Amino acid sequence: MTTVELIDSYWVYFLVGQYPNGPLGGLALTLILASAALVLAMPLGVLFGLARLSPWRWLRWPVTALVFVVRGTPLLMVIFWAYFFLPSLTGFKTDQFTTMLIALVIFDAAYLSEIVRAGVQGLDRGQVEASRSLGFGYWRTMRWVVLPQALRTMLPSLVNQFVSTIKETSLGYIIGLTEISFIASQINTQVFTMPAQVYLILGLTYFVSCFGLSRFAFWLERRQTQRVSLTDNSKVT
Amino acid sequence: MIRLEKVNKWYGTYQALVDVDEHIAKGEVVVICGPSGSGKSTLIRTLNRLEPIKSGRILIDGQDIHAKDLDLNQFRSHIGFVFQQFNLFPHLTVLENCTLAPIRLRGLSRADAEKEAMVLLDRVGLAHKASAFPINLSGGQQQRVAIARALAMRPPLMLFDEPTSALDPEMVGEVLLVMRDLARDGMTMVVVTHEMGFAREVADRVLFMDQGRVLERAPAERFFQNPEHPRTQKFLADIRTPFSSAV
């Protein structure tokens, strides 16, 4: 079997798993899982970050504890907890996708909260005072003044975290989630003679996804900077 | 309009305000001056509750501003505050700085808010900078935008906390001119400043503070001609001839 034949016979399986004859898997599942985790973890991370800065102890302490626990634990542990411990705690068994999603969201939200906290704390105090003096309350100050500025400075760290998330989905392998690493190892088992090619293609796929995301983020960042500097010309006129 | 009754404030063991009693009438322009650390900035910041107080009462339009049922945000939106460091929102254009609060808090449409903001920007001489970002403006321009931003909420009272102290000397004048015009239009203003020329020309009354106390309060004319308190006399002498007292 040549590499071309390998790709030719397995590319559909690699991209979507057994779909439409079975559950969705492969690259599609990986991307859906990563996107869903990001979309859910981001707002949760912002809330956690703000809770960490909250003057109310009953809000600050539990979230701080959660962040410390998660940061001091490998993701694999969090996945095991979500897979074995959570069902026995809630009496509610979730499938592999949901389990993995829960683990990723909690894990990423904890990390994101630290990024958010640093971003908000790094902002000049005068910004908050100016907003409050205009009559904006806490939430509106966050929404209109603090977060728009903080998110901008946080962007590089956020992208880092997002890229990590894509890579972290590969740990779904361990609980039998048919994401792309799982599929790749299945293909490898079936073909048996071409591990180098199979895992090279897998690595390349991860790289393209992550690299694409970070390029997209840099493009966003540059566009932001341009928006400000374009008007610099108005000073001359 | 503003009434302070026995206002005290502490920073830890340091007493920043000592039994401050004061009454400021509607339409009055009051300048607060005094040496650094005298409590003048602290005092003006207590007026819109940027700083809490330890004891005493502050009434604005008869309303106790520390009352439990006070809507703090509503209350603050009726008081314009201008900071030493301008504190413009750097992620927004000049125009957006001036329309953010009217749109979000007064519920104006974007078009109406922009129309109003342009009138205000024109008043501070910066209508042509509406689409610029704060970072591209000089300090004096930024402070004038900050004044327009505060005016956009149509406050009946404006507070200025050392509005020209962070400016290059050549830009002080343009900001003071805007403030003078505002005073002439009848705005009630409390201004913490070291600009004695401004105090003399624009202020109705001048308060002199030292170590948390208001030591002297007098109409501007009398304050500069015949200051009564020895500390005031020394302060005025020092700022008039900075060299002589140092030598």
Side-chain angles (χ1 to χ4, degrees):
Chain A
M1 191 183 234
T2 64
T3 309
V4 176
E5 281 168 348
L6 172 76
I7 294 173
D8 191 46
S9 32
Y10 286 106
W11 68 276
V12 178
Y13 189 48
F14 189 72
L15 290 183
V16 296
Q18 297 178 322
Y19 190 82
N21 304 316
L24 185 70
L27 179 62
L29 187 70
T30 292
L31 292 181
I32 290 173
L33 180 61
S35 316
L38 289 182
V39 167
L40 294 175
M42 190 60 212
L44 196 63
V46 170
L47 286 178
F48 280 1
L50 296 181
R52 294 260 284 139
L53 295 167
S54 163
W56 301 303
R57 256 171 295 179
W58 54 265
L59 191 61
R60 192 175 65 237
W61 284 359
V63 173
T64 305
L66 177 77
V67 169
F68 278 7
V69 167
V70 169
R71 289 210 311 167
T73 321
L75 175 59
L76 196 57
M77 272 281 298
V78 179
I79 295 170
F80 283 152
W81 282 351
Y83 196 57
F84 297 113
F85 184 53
L86 213 58
S88 65
L89 194 72
T90 57
F92 189 74
K93 184 115 176 66
T94 53
D95 62 13
Q96 285 112 325
F97 182 84
T98 316
T99 305
M100 194 59 201
L101 187 61
I102 292 172
L104 277 178
V105 166
I106 291 175
F107 193 78
D108 284 341
Y111 277 88
L112 288 172
S113 76
E114 288 296 275
I115 299 173
V116 170
R117 188 172 67 96
V120 169
Q121 275 182 324
L123 206 64
D124 187 72
R125 218 182 116 66
Q127 289 294 308
V128 173
E129 288 193 343
S131 171
R132 298 307 292 267
S133 77
L134 285 167
F136 286 102
Y138 175 83
W139 289 108
R140 285 174 159 181
T141 296
M142 286 296 154
R143 168 66 185 83
W144 299 110
V145 176
V146 174
L147 287 179
Q149 296 183 58
L151 285 172
R152 212 161 292 180
T153 55
M154 289 186 280
L155 194 63
S157 315
L158 290 177
V159 173
N160 247 334
Q161 192 58 40
F162 292 168
V163 167
S164 293
T165 305
I166 295 182
K167 296 187 279 191
E168 283 160 0
T169 57
S170 63
L171 283 174
Y173 176 93
I174 212 76
I175 55 170
L177 181 69
T178 56
E179 45 70 55
I180 198 166
S181 298
F182 187 91
I183 296 288
S185 74
Q186 289 228 311
I187 294 173
N188 183 46
T189 312
Q190 286 172 26
V191 178
F192 199 66
T193 53
M194 308 181 77
Q197 286 88 333
V198 169
Y199 286 115
L200 208 65
I201 291 172
L202 176 66
L204 209 65
T205 310
Y206 275 119
F207 177 78
V208 168
S209 311
C210 297
F211 186 70
L213 178 64
S214 63
R215 291 316 300 175
F216 173 70
F218 283 128
W219 175 78
L220 267 184
E221 198 179 1
R222 234 195 0 258
R223 216 184 47 155
Q224 268 314 331
T225 331
Q226 270 171 0
R227 182 176 175 241
V228 175
S229 63
L230 267 180
T231 51
D232 198 13
N233 301 333
S234 71
K235 197 177 177 180
V236 184
T237 54
Chain B
M1 184 166 203
I2 307 176
R3 186 176 290 282
L4 293 96
E5 297 171 355
K6 291 242 173 292
V7 172
N8 284 281
K9 176 174 177 65
W10 298 76
Y11 290 114
T13 55
Y14 175 74
Q15 189 164 12
L17 295 175
V18 184
D19 284 340
V20 176
D21 284 301
E22 188 54 52
H23 174 77
I24 293 165
K26 191 165 174 49
E28 212 177 8
V29 177
V30 173
V31 161
I32 307 175
C33 62
S36 299
S38 59
K40 50 196 192 310
S41 279
T42 304
L43 181 65
I44 200 169
R45 287 166 59 88
T46 62
L47 296 181
N48 72 343
R49 274 183 59 181
L50 279 177
E51 296 282 350
I53 61 173
K54 176 80 181 170
S55 65
R57 286 212 306 169
I58 299 175
L59 303 164
I60 292 185
D61 283 333
Q63 163 79 52
D64 184 342
I65 69 167
H66 296 96
K68 281 212 164 60
D69 60 350
L70 178 89
D71 181 339
L72 181 60
N73 297 325
Q74 174 81 10
F75 155 74
R76 279 181 175 149
S77 72
H78 293 299
I79 299 178
F81 199 101
V82 176
F83 297 84
Q84 181 177 350
Q85 300 295 342
F86 333 131
N87 294 340
L88 291 181
F89 304 135
H91 61 301
L92 301 177
T93 64
V94 163
L95 186 63
E96 287 164 350
N97 264 276
C98 298
T99 56
L100 182 67
I103 291 172
R104 301 295 159 194
L105 297 177
R106 280 173 58 205
L108 291 192
S109 71
R110 179 165 297 278
D112 287 346
E114 286 183 353
K115 207 181 297 171
E116 279 193 22
M118 286 310 291
V119 172
L120 291 170
L121 286 173
D122 190 46
R123 201 163 146 193
V124 301
L126 288 170
H128 62 294
K129 292 289 185 188
S131 61
F133 281 85
I135 194 172
N136 299 321
L137 301 182
S138 72
Q141 290 172 329
Q142 288 194 47
Q143 193 61 297
R144 286 188 279 153
V145 173
I147 293 173
R149 177 179 69 177
L151 289 173
M153 287 303 284
R154 301 191 164 179
L157 166 65
M158 288 282 285
L159 308 175
F160 297 82
D161 185 9
E162 304 210 26
T164 59
S165 299
L167 295 177
D168 286 343
E170 55 182 332
M171 293 167 184
V172 169
E174 63 190 66
V175 172
L176 293 180
L177 276 178
V178 167
M179 290 167 62
R180 185 198 64 188
D181 292 346
L182 203 56
R184 288 188 177 164
D185 291 343
M187 178 65 78
T188 311
M189 292 163 60
V190 181
V191 185
V192 170
T193 185
H194 296 292
E195 296 295 332
M196 290 302 119
F198 175 83
R200 186 185 279 256
E201 193 194 341
V202 180
D204 298 307
R205 281 192 308 132
V206 181
L207 308 185
F208 177 76
M209 289 186 71
D210 192 27
Q211 298 185 349
R213 292 169 205 274
V214 178
L215 293 185
E216 181 140 9
R217 48 170 66 75
E221 188 72 8
R222 201 177 81 209
F223 180 86
F224 290 104
Q225 304 288 343
N226 293 307
E228 284 169 7
H229 199 284
R231 185 68 188 84
T232 318
Q233 292 165 0
K234 180 170 183 330
F235 178 78
L236 288 173
D238 285 351
I239 58 173
R240 272 178 195 138
T241 50
F243 270 124
S244 61
S245 58
V247 174

